[in-house]
Amino acid sequence: MNSKIIRGRIYPKVTILIPNYNGKKWLEKCLPTVEKSTYPNKEILVVNNGSTDDSAQFLKKNYPNVRIMEIKRNIGYAGANNFGIKYAKGKYVLFLNNDTQVTPNFLELLVEKIENDTTIGAVQPQIRHMVNRDLIDSIGSFFTFTGFLYHYGYFQRHREKKYQKELSVYSVKGACFLMRKKDYVYLGGIDESFVTYVEESDLCHRVLLSGKKIIYVPTSAVYHFGGGDMHVMTKSEVVIFRSFRNRFISYLKNLGVKKLFLVLPVHLFLCEILILMSVLRGKLKLAIASQVGVLGWIPSLPSILKKRKYIQSNIRKISDDELFASVEQNPSFRYYSHFFFDPYGKFSEKEI
């Protein structure tokens, strides 16, 4: 599919898909690094997701080689990516947030890894923090018995030896990951009912159910500010609501019956503890948003069960025991203490 051969090496085409909502200030810093990246067979596709700023004019004036797909109204991160995938010409699609900056050879390293192993369904680079570039923003997440994810390496120094090892993970971070276009389409893309938050983990769960791996590639690096479009799209209460609701929906869709009955009661109990602690600290708006999120999936239960039936019948190729053998890790209590003793505080946005 539109491959290039340079000095005997095959470079399959990659579509770099960037959703954008009023993000001109991010694109100004992101696109120069993307254009300077050294992968020789790429196209840049920006989905201008109902922007009301001058993002489109900026792109047309300064980046004539960038393809722009216009959407009249904001349809969310999930909708923008699903819209853009229809126009992607690449064998692979790199999903990239607009508040990122990439390193020159990051894409070669990702493509090389996934191209040489058909059992890999998605790959993620080492995502470093944009402000403090010595720290990790994400190298992928592990599943835990609590239903909360273990964001391995978060805010740790990226040069530490243990973070230089390739890993099989449960979920990538949506800021930057690479998949085959055909796999994304086969798996149904991102669930648009999620709008934002947990949507990449839900997609990754289906990747794993299909029998493929998700790999962290430590030699590839990008930088991520975090929040980007979200700062202008979403209040904290909405973030919390979607995070809580979407986790329940994802697990109801994707987990096998045994695993579901093991994880869901624990997760529900811990959510209620978090909500109680928020009430005791006077954070009533966030507590209410959390409680509405915990219950907010119930009206959608018929739709969730319909999706579950399709996933379990058509996508699942392996058992939960096989799936979680390498992607479930349970960290020490100290890891959880950051958000149990400071709900919605400094660490909680990453933990919940």
Side-chain angles (χ1 to χ4, degrees), residues 111-166:
V111 173
E112 181 179 15
K113 186 64 188 177
I114 196 170
E115 177 77 355
N116 292 330
D117 189 342
T118 58
T119 68
I120 296 176
V123 287
Q124 177 190 305
Q126 184 179 88
I127 303 176
R128 301 171 187 167
H129 198 275
M130 184 79 78
V131 178
N132 189 336
R133 297 195 168 206
D134 192 41
L135 300 180
I136 292 169
D137 179 54
S138 173
I139 59 177
S141 303
F142 292 106
F143 194 82
T144 77
F145 79 99
T146 68
F148 292 104
L149 299 189
Y150 174 22
H151 302 289
Y152 184 67
Y154 175 64
F155 249 61
Q156 303 301 307
R157 297 190 182 280
H158 73 80
R159 292 185 181 85
E160 287 189 35
K161 187 176 181 180
K162 61 184 176 180
Y163 303 128
Q164 310 311 311
K165 298 178 182 177
E166 185 178 288

Coordinates of all heavy atoms in Angstrom, one line a residue, residues 111-166:
V111 N 7.6 1.9 13.3 CA 7.3 1.1 12.1 C 8.1 -0.2 12.0 O 7.6 -1.3 11.7 CB 7.4 1.9 10.8 CG1 7.2 1.1 9.6 CG2 6.4 3.1 10.9
E112 N 9.4 -0.1 12.2 CA 10.2 -1.3 12.2 C 9.8 -2.4 13.1 O 9.8 -3.5 12.8 CB 11.7 -0.9 12.5 CG 12.7 -2.0 12.4 CD 14.1 -1.6 12.7 OE1 14.3 -0.5 13.3 OE2 15.0 -2.4 12.4
K113 N 9.4 -2.0 14.3 CA 8.9 -2.9 15.3 C 7.7 -3.7 14.9 O 7.6 -4.9 14.9 CB 8.7 -2.3 16.7 CG 8.4 -3.2 17.8 CD 9.6 -4.1 18.0 CE 9.3 -5.2 19.0 NZ 10.5 -6.2 19.2
I114 N 6.7 -2.9 14.5 CA 5.4 -3.5 14.1 C 5.4 -4.2 12.8 O 4.7 -5.2 12.6 CB 4.2 -2.5 14.2 CG1 2.9 -3.2 14.3 CG2 4.3 -1.5 13.1 CD1 1.7 -2.2 14.6
E115 N 6.2 -3.7 11.9 CA 6.3 -4.3 10.5 C 6.9 -5.6 10.5 O 6.6 -6.5 9.7 CB 7.1 -3.3 9.6 CG 7.3 -3.8 8.2 CD 6.1 -3.7 7.3 OE1 5.0 -3.3 7.8 OE2 6.2 -4.0 6.1
N116 N 7.8 -5.9 11.5 CA 8.6 -7.1 11.5 C 7.9 -8.2 12.4 O 8.5 -9.2 12.6 CB 10.0 -6.9 12.0 CG 10.8 -6.1 10.9 OD1 10.6 -6.2 9.8 ND2 11.8 -5.3 11.4
D117 N 6.8 -7.9 12.9 CA 6.1 -8.8 13.8 C 4.6 -8.7 13.7 O 4.0 -7.8 14.2 CB 6.5 -8.6 15.3 CG 6.1 -9.7 16.3 OD1 5.2 -10.5 15.9 OD2 6.6 -9.7 17.4
T118 N 4.0 -9.7 13.0 CA 2.6 -9.6 12.7 C 1.7 -9.9 14.0 O 0.5 -9.7 14.0 CB 2.2 -10.6 11.6 OG1 2.6 -12.0 12.1 CG2 2.8 -10.3 10.3
T119 N 2.4 -10.3 15.1 CA 1.6 -10.6 16.3 C 1.4 -9.3 17.1 O 0.8 -9.3 18.2 CB 2.3 -11.7 17.2 OG1 3.5 -11.1 17.7 CG2 2.5 -12.9 16.4
I120 N 2.0 -8.2 16.7 CA 1.9 -6.9 17.4 C 0.8 -6.1 16.8 O 0.7 -6.0 15.6 CB 3.2 -6.1 17.3 CG1 4.3 -6.8 18.0 CG2 3.0 -4.7 17.9 CD1 5.7 -6.2 17.9
G121 N -0.1 -5.7 17.6 CA -1.3 -4.9 17.2 C -1.1 -3.4 17.3 O -1.8 -2.7 16.6
A122 N -0.3 -3.0 18.2 CA -0.1 -1.5 18.4 C 1.3 -1.3 19.1 O 1.7 -2.2 19.9 CB -1.2 -0.9 19.3
V123 N 1.9 -0.2 18.9 CA 3.1 0.2 19.5 C 3.1 1.6 20.0 O 2.4 2.5 19.4 CB 4.4 0.0 18.6 CG1 4.7 -1.4 18.3 CG2 4.1 0.7 17.2
Q124 N 3.7 1.9 21.1 CA 3.8 3.2 21.7 C 5.3 3.6 22.0 O 6.0 2.7 22.4 CB 3.0 3.3 23.0 CG 3.2 4.6 23.7 CD 2.6 4.7 25.1 OE1 1.5 4.3 25.3 NE2 3.4 5.1 26.1
P125 N 5.7 4.8 21.7 CA 7.0 5.3 22.1 C 7.1 5.6 23.5 O 6.1 5.6 24.3 CB 7.2 6.5 21.2 CG 5.8 7.1 21.2 CD 4.9 5.9 21.1
Q126 N 8.3 6.0 24.0 CA 8.4 6.6 25.3 C 7.9 8.0 25.2 O 8.5 8.8 24.5 CB 9.9 6.6 25.8 CG 10.1 7.1 27.2 CD 11.5 7.0 27.6 OE1 12.3 8.0 27.4 NE2 11.9 5.9 28.3
I127 N 6.8 8.3 25.9 CA 6.3 9.6 25.9 C 6.8 10.4 27.1 O 6.5 10.0 28.3 CB 4.7 9.6 25.9 CG1 4.2 8.8 24.7 CG2 4.2 11.0 25.9 CD1 2.7 8.6 24.7
R128 N 7.5 11.5 26.9 CA 8.1 12.2 28.0 C 7.3 13.5 28.2 O 6.6 14.0 27.3 CB 9.6 12.6 27.6 CG 10.4 11.3 27.4 CD 11.8 11.7 26.9 NE 12.5 10.5 26.5 CZ 13.7 10.5 25.8 NH1 14.2 11.7 25.3 NH2 14.3 9.4 25.5
H129 N 7.5 14.0 29.4 CA 6.8 15.3 29.8 C 7.3 16.5 29.0 O 8.6 16.6 28.9 CB 6.8 15.5 31.3 CG 5.8 16.4 31.8 ND1 6.0 17.8 31.8 CD2 4.6 16.2 32.3 CE1 4.9 18.4 32.3 NE2 4.0 17.4 32.6
M130 N 6.5 17.3 28.5 CA 6.9 18.4 27.7 C 7.7 19.5 28.5 O 8.7 20.0 28.0 CB 5.7 19.1 27.0 CG 6.1 20.2 26.0 SD 6.6 19.6 24.4 CE 5.1 19.2 23.7
V131 N 7.2 19.7 29.7 CA 7.8 20.8 30.5 C 9.1 20.3 31.2 O 10.1 20.9 31.0 CB 6.8 21.3 31.6 CG1 7.4 22.4 32.4 CG2 5.6 21.9 30.9
N132 N 9.0 19.2 31.9 CA 10.2 18.6 32.5 C 10.6 17.4 31.7 O 10.1 16.3 31.9 CB 10.0 18.2 34.0 CG 11.2 17.8 34.7 OD1 12.2 17.4 34.0 ND2 11.3 17.9 36.0
R133 N 11.5 17.6 30.7 CA 11.7 16.6 29.7 C 12.6 15.4 30.2 O 12.8 14.5 29.5 CB 12.4 17.3 28.5 CG 11.5 18.3 27.8 CD 12.0 18.7 26.5 NE 10.9 19.4 25.7 CZ 10.8 19.5 24.4 NH1 11.7 18.9 23.7 NH2 9.9 20.1 23.8
D134 N 12.9 15.5 31.5 CA 13.7 14.4 32.1 C 12.7 13.3 32.6 O 13.1 12.2 32.9 CB 14.6 14.9 33.2 CG 15.5 13.8 33.7 OD1 16.1 13.1 32.8 OD2 15.7 13.7 34.9
L135 N 11.4 13.7 32.7 CA 10.4 12.8 33.3 C 9.5 12.1 32.3 O 9.3 12.6 31.2 CB 9.5 13.6 34.3 CG 10.3 14.3 35.4 CD1 9.3 15.0 36.3 CD2 11.1 13.3 36.2
I136 N 9.0 10.9 32.6 CA 8.1 10.2 31.8 C 6.7 10.6 31.9 O 6.2 10.8 33.1 CB 8.2 8.7 32.1 CG1 9.6 8.1 31.7 CG2 7.2 7.8 31.5 CD1 9.9 6.7 32.3
D137 N 6.0 10.8 30.8 CA 4.6 11.0 30.9 C 3.9 9.7 30.7 O 2.9 9.4 31.4 CB 4.2 12.0 29.8 CG 2.7 12.2 29.7 OD1 2.1 12.6 30.8 OD2 2.0 12.0 28.7
S138 N 4.3 8.8 29.8 CA 3.7 7.5 29.7 C 4.6 6.6 28.9 O 5.3 6.9 27.9 CB 2.4 7.6 28.9 OG 1.9 6.3 28.6
I139 N 4.7 5.3 29.4 CA 5.3 4.2 28.6 C 4.3 3.1 28.4 O 4.7 2.0 28.1 CB 6.6 3.8 29.2 CG1 6.5 3.2 30.6 CG2 7.7 4.9 29.1 CD1 7.8 2.7 31.2
G140 N 3.0 3.4 28.7 CA 2.0 2.3 28.7 C 1.5 2.0 30.1 O 2.1 2.4 31.1
S141 N 0.4 1.3 30.1 CA -0.2 1.0 31.4 C -0.5 -0.5 31.5 O -0.8 -1.2 30.5 CB -1.6 1.8 31.5 OG -1.4 3.2 31.4
F142 N -0.5 -0.9 32.8 CA -0.8 -2.3 33.1 C -2.2 -2.4 33.8 O -2.6 -1.4 34.4 CB 0.2 -2.9 34.1 CG 1.5 -3.1 33.5 CD1 2.6 -2.3 33.8 CD2 1.8 -4.2 32.6 CE1 3.9 -2.5 33.3 CE2 3.0 -4.4 32.0 CZ 4.1 -3.5 32.4
F143 N -2.9 -3.5 33.6 CA -4.2 -3.7 34.3 C -3.9 -4.1 35.7 O -2.8 -4.7 36.0 CB -4.9 -4.8 33.5 CG -6.4 -4.9 33.9 CD1 -7.3 -4.1 33.3 CD2 -6.8 -5.9 34.8 CE1 -8.7 -4.2 33.7 CE2 -8.1 -6.0 35.2 CZ -9.1 -5.2 34.6
T144 N -4.8 -3.9 36.6 CA -4.7 -4.3 38.0 C -6.0 -4.9 38.5 O -7.0 -4.7 37.9 CB -4.3 -3.2 39.0 OG1 -5.5 -2.4 39.2 CG2 -3.2 -2.3 38.4
F145 N -5.9 -5.7 39.6 CA -7.1 -6.3 40.1 C -8.2 -5.3 40.6 O -9.3 -5.7 40.8 CB -6.7 -7.3 41.3 CG -6.5 -6.6 42.6 CD1 -7.5 -6.6 43.5 CD2 -5.3 -6.0 42.8 CE1 -7.3 -6.0 44.8 CE2 -5.1 -5.4 44.0 CZ -6.1 -5.3 45.0
T146 N -7.8 -4.1 40.8 CA -8.7 -3.0 41.3 C -9.5 -2.4 40.1 O -10.5 -1.7 40.4 CB -7.9 -1.9 41.9 OG1 -7.1 -1.2 40.9 CG2 -7.0 -2.4 43.0
G147 N -9.1 -2.7 38.9 CA -9.8 -2.0 37.8 C -9.2 -0.6 37.4 O -9.5 -0.1 36.4
F148 N -8.4 -0.1 38.3 CA -7.6 1.1 38.0 C -6.3 0.7 37.3 O -5.8 -0.4 37.6 CB -7.3 1.9 39.3 CG -8.5 2.5 40.0 CD1 -9.0 2.0 41.1 CD2 -9.1 3.6 39.4 CE1 -10.1 2.5 41.8 CE2 -10.2 4.2 40.1 CZ -10.7 3.7 41.2
L149 N -5.9 1.5 36.4 CA -4.7 1.1 35.7 C -3.4 1.5 36.4 O -3.4 2.5 37.1 CB -4.7 1.7 34.3 CG -5.8 1.3 33.4 CD1 -5.6 1.8 32.0 CD2 -6.1 -0.2 33.4
Y150 N -2.4 0.8 36.2 CA -1.0 1.1 36.7 C -0.2 1.7 35.6 O 0.2 1.1 34.7 CB -0.4 -0.2 37.2 CG 1.1 -0.1 37.7 CD1 1.6 1.1 38.1 CD2 1.9 -1.3 37.7 CE1 2.9 1.1 38.5 CE2 3.2 -1.2 38.1 CZ 3.7 0.0 38.5 OH 5.0 0.0 39.0
H151 N -0.1 3.0 35.8 CA 0.7 3.8 34.7 C 2.2 3.7 35.0 O 2.7 4.6 35.7 CB 0.1 5.2 34.7 CG -1.3 5.3 34.4 ND1 -1.9 5.1 33.2 CD2 -2.4 5.6 35.2 CE1 -3.2 5.2 33.2 NE2 -3.5 5.5 34.5
Y152 N 2.7 2.7 34.5 CA 4.1 2.3 34.9 C 5.1 3.5 34.5 O 5.1 3.9 33.3 CB 4.5 1.0 34.1 CG 5.9 0.5 34.5 CD1 6.2 0.0 35.7 CD2 6.8 0.4 33.5 CE1 7.4 -0.5 36.0 CE2 8.1 -0.1 33.8 CZ 8.4 -0.5 35.0 OH 9.6 -1.0 35.3
G153 N 5.9 3.8 35.4 CA 7.0 4.8 35.1 C 6.5 6.3 35.1 O 7.3 7.2 34.9
Y154 N 5.2 6.5 35.4 CA 4.7 7.9 35.4 C 5.5 8.8 36.3 O 5.7 8.5 37.5 CB 3.2 7.9 35.7 CG 2.7 9.3 35.8 CD1 2.7 10.1 34.7 CD2 2.2 9.8 37.0 CE1 2.1 11.4 34.7 CE2 1.7 11.1 37.1 CZ 1.7 11.9 35.9 OH 1.2 13.2 36.0
F155 N 6.0 9.9 35.7 CA 6.7 10.9 36.5 C 8.1 10.4 37.0 O 8.6 11.0 38.0 CB 5.9 11.6 37.5 CG 5.5 13.0 37.2 CD1 4.8 13.3 36.0 CD2 6.0 14.1 38.0 CE1 4.5 14.6 35.7 CE2 5.7 15.4 37.7 CZ 4.9 15.7 36.5
Q156 N 8.6 9.4 36.5 CA 9.9 8.9 36.8 C 10.9 9.3 35.8 O 10.5 9.7 34.7 CB 9.9 7.4 36.9 CG 8.9 6.8 37.9 CD 9.1 7.4 39.3 OE1 10.2 7.3 39.9 NE2 8.0 7.9 39.9
R157 N 12.2 9.3 36.1 CA 13.2 9.7 35.2 C 13.4 8.7 34.0 O 13.6 7.6 34.2 CB 14.5 9.9 35.9 CG 14.4 11.0 37.0 CD 15.8 11.4 37.6 NE 15.6 12.4 38.6 CZ 15.4 13.7 38.4 NH1 15.4 14.2 37.2 NH2 15.3 14.6 39.4
H158 N 13.3 9.3 32.8 CA 13.2 8.4 31.6 C 14.5 7.6 31.4 O 14.5 6.6 30.7 CB 12.8 9.1 30.4 CG 13.8 10.1 29.8 ND1 14.9 9.6 29.0 CD2 14.0 11.4 29.9 CE1 15.6 10.6 28.6 NE2 15.1 11.7 29.2
R159 N 15.6 8.1 32.0 CA 16.9 7.4 31.7 C 17.1 6.2 32.6 O 18.1 5.5 32.4 CB 18.1 8.4 31.9 CG 18.1 9.5 30.9 CD 19.3 10.4 31.1 NE 19.4 11.5 30.1 CZ 18.7 12.7 30.3 NH1 18.0 12.9 31.4 NH2 18.8 13.6 29.3
E160 N 16.3 6.0 33.6 CA 16.5 4.8 34.4 C 16.5 3.5 33.6 O 15.7 3.4 32.7 CB 15.4 4.8 35.5 CG 15.5 5.8 36.6 CD 14.5 5.6 37.7 OE1 14.2 4.4 38.0 OE2 14.0 6.6 38.3
K161 N 17.4 2.6 34.0 CA 17.6 1.4 33.2 C 16.4 0.6 33.0 O 16.1 0.1 31.9 CB 18.7 0.6 33.9 CG 19.1 -0.6 33.1 CD 20.3 -1.4 33.8 CE 20.7 -2.6 33.0 NZ 21.8 -3.3 33.7
K162 N 15.5 0.5 34.0 CA 14.3 -0.4 33.8 C 13.3 0.2 32.8 O 12.5 -0.6 32.3 CB 13.6 -0.5 35.2 CG 13.1 0.7 35.8 CD 12.5 0.4 37.2 CE 12.1 1.6 38.0 NZ 11.5 1.3 39.3
Y163 N 13.4 1.5 32.5 CA 12.5 2.0 31.5 C 13.1 2.0 30.0 O 12.5 2.5 29.1 CB 12.2 3.5 31.8 CG 11.5 3.6 33.2 CD1 12.0 4.5 34.1 CD2 10.5 2.7 33.6 CE1 11.5 4.6 35.4 CE2 9.9 2.8 34.8 CZ 10.4 3.7 35.8 OH 9.9 3.8 37.0
Q164 N 14.3 1.3 29.9 CA 14.9 1.2 28.6 C 14.6 -0.2 28.0 O 15.1 -0.5 27.0 CB 16.4 1.3 28.7 CG 16.9 2.6 29.5 CD 16.2 3.8 29.0 OE1 16.1 4.1 27.8 NE2 15.7 4.7 29.9
K165 N 13.7 -1.0 28.7 CA 13.4 -2.3 28.3 C 12.1 -2.3 27.5 O 11.1 -1.7 28.0 CB 13.3 -3.3 29.5 CG 14.6 -3.4 30.2 CD 14.4 -4.3 31.4 CE 15.7 -4.5 32.2 NZ 15.5 -5.3 33.4
E166 N 12.0 -3.0 26.5 CA 10.8 -3.2 25.7 C 9.8 -4.0 26.6 O 10.1 -4.9 27.3 CB 11.0 -4.0 24.5 CG 9.9 -4.2 23.5 CD 10.3 -4.9 22.3 OE1 11.0 -4.3 21.5 OE2 9.9 -6.1 22.2

